[in-house]
Amino acid sequence: MKSRSLIFIIIAAVLIVAGIITCIVCGSLAKSKNIALLSDTVDKDGNAINSDNIDEYGLTALNIDVEDIDINIIGTKGKSYVEFVNLNPASYDYTVSGYKMTVKTVDPFDIGSLIKIRKNGSGFSGLRSYLFLNKYKDETSKINIYVSEKTVLNEISLKTVNGNISVKNMKNDCLYTLNVKKGDLLISGVETMLETKVKVKDGEYTVSSSSLEKNDFNVDGGNVFFKECGLCQYYITCDNGSIYFDDADQGSSVEGRKYPKKIVTDLLDDASGEENDDEANTEEKTEELETEVEDNALPCEIKGKIVNGNMYVTTKLGE
């Protein structure tokens, strides 16, 4: 080997070592002063947050496929933006292309991930990202996506291997595909006339104050809760559990039941003190209440299978 080549190799090695030492020293100083070395901001709880304003992208679809990360979709009256909380930039790939946002977990040392090879170019997360890969291993990692009410999403696909998923306050018609291997799934304040497909391997599935016109779910190990979600058609089977409508045990399967009779009974009890409670009047009042319940029943169809767990349904009249 020529002496000149050897000199260049030595210089390169010295620079690499100097760079590593610099990153380690800077990391220690940043930690001592509570400064996020890898993210834009640190919140009051010490979470490192890297955010992006997605309001201008005109998104119509979200596709998130990650491991060991919680995913939260929140409807808001403000602007649309995404937050990556306690996530090393080298551990995920985030792209927006053709009005579709995609986030996926990647192997930091895979060559494609290392230099972020894409159709429109390439990039590098920086040496510090790889020296501090375990910086957030003891913290809860999250992806929070705030969706403006002006943003019209047609499709949302979310998948996490070990984490929770929540979708809150989303009012536009959207096709949902939600998949959790180990963790809980929550849908709250959501309205959609399109299909909602849910799969939970090990965890609870909860729907609260929502109107899902067509919900198809499969839960292997965990309970299912439908709280104040209107009156719907239910086609549910529990292999090793029971179905409860307002605390009343319906057995292991329910097919086509729009509402539990308990609603009519409770309403009749409430009204019994207001009018004469003779048999004829009671029968007439019962018919009126049953008609009211039928008229307020939503055209929802809830299909589901639970392998090991129970289902609890709390119903209410439509508004």
Side-chain angles (χ1 to χ4, degrees), residues 270-290:
D270 292 340
S272 62
E274 301 176 5
E275 301 183 24
N276 297 327
D277 56 357
D278 56 81
E279 185 175 344
N281 185 66
T282 299
E283 183 176 347
E284 180 182 353
K285 190 66 177 176
T286 299
E287 292 179 358
E288 291 178 1
L289 290 173
E290 287 182 343

Side-chain angles (χ1 to χ4, degrees), residues 112-301:
S113 303
L114 186 66
I115 59 176
K116 305 289 185 184
I117 296 176
R118 301 188 182 99
K119 292 181 179 180
N120 60 346
S122 61
F124 179 58
S125 299
L127 180 61
R128 63 187 185 280
S129 298
Y130 296 89
L131 290 176
F132 300 103
L133 277 175
N134 296 322
K135 180 178 175 63
Y136 306 119
K137 67 177 183 179
D138 296 326
E139 307 293 337
T140 299
S141 298
K142 303 177 184 178
I143 297 175
N144 300 326
I145 302 176
Y146 294 84
V147 182
S148 169
E149 59 184 10
K150 296 179 181 180
T151 299
V152 181
L153 292 174
N154 300 322
E155 182 178 356
I156 295 178
S157 177
L158 310 176
K159 180 179 180 180
T160 183
V161 174
N162 185 20
N164 302 318
I165 290 178
S166 72
V167 182
K168 300 179 181 179
N169 303 325
M170 295 289 290
K171 304 299 183 183
N172 64 301
D173 290 330
C174 182
L175 176 65
Y176 292 94
T177 303
L178 312 174
N179 192 320
V180 178
K181 187 172 183 180
K182 186 176 182 181
D184 297 332
L185 197 155
L186 169 66
I187 295 177
S188 179
V190 175
E191 298 177 7
T192 179
M193 296 179 67
L194 301 181
E195 189 172 13
T196 303
K197 297 180 180 180
V198 169
K199 186 173 183 179
V200 178
K201 181 73 174 178
D202 183 11
E204 294 184 346
Y205 173 39
T206 301
V207 179
S208 176
S209 301
S210 298
S211 176
L212 310 179
E213 186 152 328
K214 191 174 183 180
N215 183 202
D216 192 344
F217 68 83
N218 191 307
V219 177
D220 285 351
N223 295 323
V224 175
F225 301 88
F226 273 64
K227 302 177 180 179
E228 298 186 350
C229 294
L231 311 170
C232 307
Q233 293 275 7
Y234 292 92
Y235 300 88
I236 312 296
T237 59
C238 292
D239 289 350
N240 299 289
S242 295
I243 303 164
Y244 297 88
F245 279 101
D246 296 321
D247 299 325
D249 191 344
Q250 307 299 317
S252 61
S253 65
V254 170
E255 184 172 345
R257 186 182 184 127
K258 278 193 174 180
Y259 62 92
K261 289 292 183 181
K262 184 177 184 297
I263 288 182
V264 175
T265 303
D266 288 348
L267 290 174
L268 187 60
D269 290 343
D270 292 340
S272 62
E274 301 176 5
E275 301 183 24
N276 297 327
D277 56 357
D278 56 81
E279 185 175 344
N281 185 66
T282 299
E283 183 176 347
E284 180 182 353
K285 190 66 177 176
T286 299
E287 292 179 358
E288 291 178 1
L289 290 173
E290 287 182 343
T291 301
E292 180 183 354
V293 171
E294 289 284 355
D295 290 343
N296 282 279
L298 300 171
C300 299
E301 183 177 87

